[in-house]
């Protein structure tokens, strides 16, 4: 192999690196390589590769003046080193360099090139007008152990059916819990793909994973749920997201995929004067896709219900809007338990607002009932006990 110091170099970001890793791990099959111009044109026309769905061409087209200069100079058969975070990440043997229209590529991914759309501007900045195809080799490749974890979990319970759920759980609320339970009722093993974004999110992946693990370990049957991180790159961000979710889930060994009624990519496709969902465009991917009900809290039913079965109308229903619940948490307010389980709220608040109380022990003993014993208490304990006071009804 030619020394990387003699090779021309291309610079890529975390999203591109993640996509290249997904491809090498076989998680984007039927796509098996970077597409050349002929393959790209075919996928644009048909939405298929090898007779199976793939919503847009899989390309490497990094933006930037230096990248453009290098791509312009590359010849067929030449080796180029791909750098990520200033370190060699992969080497690529050039097959073809060809022009693409960044605006059209944005439309293929998001369904629009309107810069007011979330994510469009960020993606515009990272996509160039030249794409390169060819065989590439990852350097210092780390093995993806998640496939094996899922296989081991299947064997442990002799699972016949494995269902995938893709969620951000930002934050994990009661409707998420109901969706998880409902999905578990119809499968042997549930794989939750927990989205792991590249940009700063309101709740870090670590906090969301901790909250989800707490729920699974304390309120669900053992050995029937596996949590797998899914790096949420731009290729999953558009209206074709469900197709990509189905492809990745299938390649991870799932034979079912459940999506929520309010999934971002659902119901955004309109064709032949009739309403259809993007699910109708999934071809050749052998996975069963189920759309779950939308759950709300009804003050007449006094419980969490499906909108399909509750007769009382929206004026009696409380919907589960993650952004609004998160806003309460960011302000340090305990969400009502009909929105979030108190233990989950305590986990998140203690991480979002560490050391917020000047004298936690004094506040604990002044405000809460205690047995007289001097014990050390955490902020998590304080939130749990405080929620109990909120739920006391004798004086209300």
């Amino acid at each position: 192999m030619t020394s990387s110091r003699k090779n021309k170099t291309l610079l890529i970001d975390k999203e591109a690196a993640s996509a290249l890793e997904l491809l090498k791990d076989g998680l984007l099959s039927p796509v098996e390589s970077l597409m050349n111009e002929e393959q790209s044109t075919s996928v644009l026309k048909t939405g298929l590769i090898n007779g199976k769905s793939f919503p847009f061409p899989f390309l490497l087209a990094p933006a930037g003046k230096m990248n453009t200069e290098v791509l312009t100079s590359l010849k067929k058969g030449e080796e180029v080193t791909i750098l990520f975070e200033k370190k060699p990440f992969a080497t690529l043997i050039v097959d073809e360099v060809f022009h693409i229209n960044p605006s059209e590529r944005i439309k293929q991914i998001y369904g629009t090139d309107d810069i007011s759309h979330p994510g469009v501007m960020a993606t515009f900045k990272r996509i160039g007008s030249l794409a390169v195809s060819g065989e590439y080799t990852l350097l210092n490749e780390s093995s993806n152990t998640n496939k094996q974890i899922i296989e081991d979990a299947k064997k442990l319970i002799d699972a016949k059916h494995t269902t995938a759920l893709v969620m951000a759980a930002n934050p994990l609320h009661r409707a998420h819990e109901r969706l998880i339970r409902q999905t578990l009722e119809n499968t042997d093993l549930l794989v939750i793909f927990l989205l792991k974004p590249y940009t700063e999110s309101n709740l870090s992946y670590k906090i969301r994973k901790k909250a989800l693990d707490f729920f699974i370990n304390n309120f669900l049957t053992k050995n029937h749920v596996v949590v797998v991180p899914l790096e949420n790159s731009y290729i999953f961000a558009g209206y074709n997201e469900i197709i990509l979710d189905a492809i990745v889930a299938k390649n991870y060994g799932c034979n079912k995929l459940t999506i929520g009624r309010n999934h971002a990519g659902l119901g955004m496709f309109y064709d032949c004067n009739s309403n259809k969902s993007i699910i109708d465009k999934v071809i050749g991917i052998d996975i069963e896709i189920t759309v779950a009900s939308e759950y709300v809290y009804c003050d007449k039913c006094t419980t969490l219900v499906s909108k399909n079965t509750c007769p009382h109308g929206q004026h009696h229903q409380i919907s589960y809007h993650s952004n609004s619940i998160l806003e309460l948490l960011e302000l340090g307010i305990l969400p009502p338990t009909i929105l979030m389980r108190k233990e989950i709220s305590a986990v998140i608040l203690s991480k979002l607002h560490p050391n917020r109380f000047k004298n936690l022990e004094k506040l604990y003993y002044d405000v809460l009932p205690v047995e007289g014993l001097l014990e050390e208490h955490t902020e998590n304990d304080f939130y749990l006990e405080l929620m109990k006071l909120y739920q006391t009804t004798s004086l209300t």
Side-chain angles (χ1 to χ4, degrees), residues 172 211 325 329 333-337 339-352 380 383-384 387:
L172 181 73
I325 298 173
L329 292 166
I333 299 172
L334 275 164
T337 52
L339 297 179
M340 282 186 72
R341 187 179 294 276
K342 63 180 183 293
E343 294 90 349
I344 301 296
S345 295
V347 166
I348 294 174
L349 283 170
S350 62
K351 297 296 183 182
L352 276 182
N380 195 91
Y383 289 122
L384 287 173
M387 181 58 79

Side-chain angles (χ1 to χ4, degrees), residues 355-370 374-375 377-379 381-383 385-386 389-390:
N355 307 314
R356 69 185 299 200
F357 303 109
K358 293 180 180 178
N359 190 333
L360 178 62
E361 290 301 317
K362 182 177 186 304
L363 186 61
Y364 196 100
Y365 283 96
D366 285 350
V367 174
L368 301 171
V370 295
L374 291 176
E375 298 176 353
H377 298 284
T378 66
E379 290 183 334
D381 297 330
F382 179 74
Y383 289 122
E385 294 301 319
L386 191 61
L389 289 189
Y390 283 137

Side-chain angles (χ1 to χ4, degrees), residues 6 21-22 27 52 59 106 136 175 188 267 269 286 298 347 381:
K6 295 181 181 179
E21 287 176 332
L22 281 174
L27 297 174
K52 298 179 181 180
L59 304 175
I106 294 290
Y136 66 92
D188 302 313
F269 174 61
D286 187 20
C298 174
V347 166
D381 297 330

Side-chain angles (χ1 to χ4, degrees), residues 272-297:
C272 298
N273 299 315
S274 63
N275 286 311
K276 296 182 179 179
S277 78
I278 200 71
I279 294 172
D280 296 304
K281 296 182 71 177
V282 179
I283 298 171
I285 308 301
D286 187 20
I287 190 169
E288 178 185 332
I289 303 176
T290 302
V291 181
S293 300
E294 180 180 353
Y295 298 107
V296 295
Y297 179 86

Side-chain angles (χ1 to χ4, degrees), residues 321-334:
H321 298 291
S322 293
N323 289 341
S324 297
I325 298 173
L326 187 57
E327 187 173 348
L328 293 177
L329 292 166
E330 289 176 327
L331 291 171
I333 299 172
L334 275 164

Side-chain angles (χ1 to χ4, degrees), residues 188-259:
D188 302 313
L189 179 69
L190 172 61
V191 180
I192 299 177
F193 292 98
L194 187 61
L195 296 177
K196 192 175 183 180
Y198 299 99
T199 55
E200 289 294 323
S201 60
N202 308 85
L203 291 181
S204 69
Y205 175 84
K206 186 176 180 180
I207 293 176
R208 291 181 289 116
K209 175 69 160 54
K210 183 179 178 66
L212 185 56
D213 283 343
F214 179 88
F215 171 66
I216 292 169
N217 293 332
N218 290 277
F219 299 101
L220 296 178
T221 52
K222 301 295 183 184
N223 302 322
H224 287 267
V225 184
V226 175
V227 180
V228 172
L230 181 61
E231 294 187 336
N232 192 23
S233 73
Y234 75 101
I235 65 172
F236 294 97
Y239 75 114
N240 293 298
E241 178 184 347
I242 291 172
I243 297 178
L244 269 297
D245 288 347
I247 288 171
V248 171
K250 176 62 180 177
N251 287 315
Y252 261 118
C254 301
N255 64 328
K256 295 182 179 181
L257 170 67
T258 297
I259 58 175

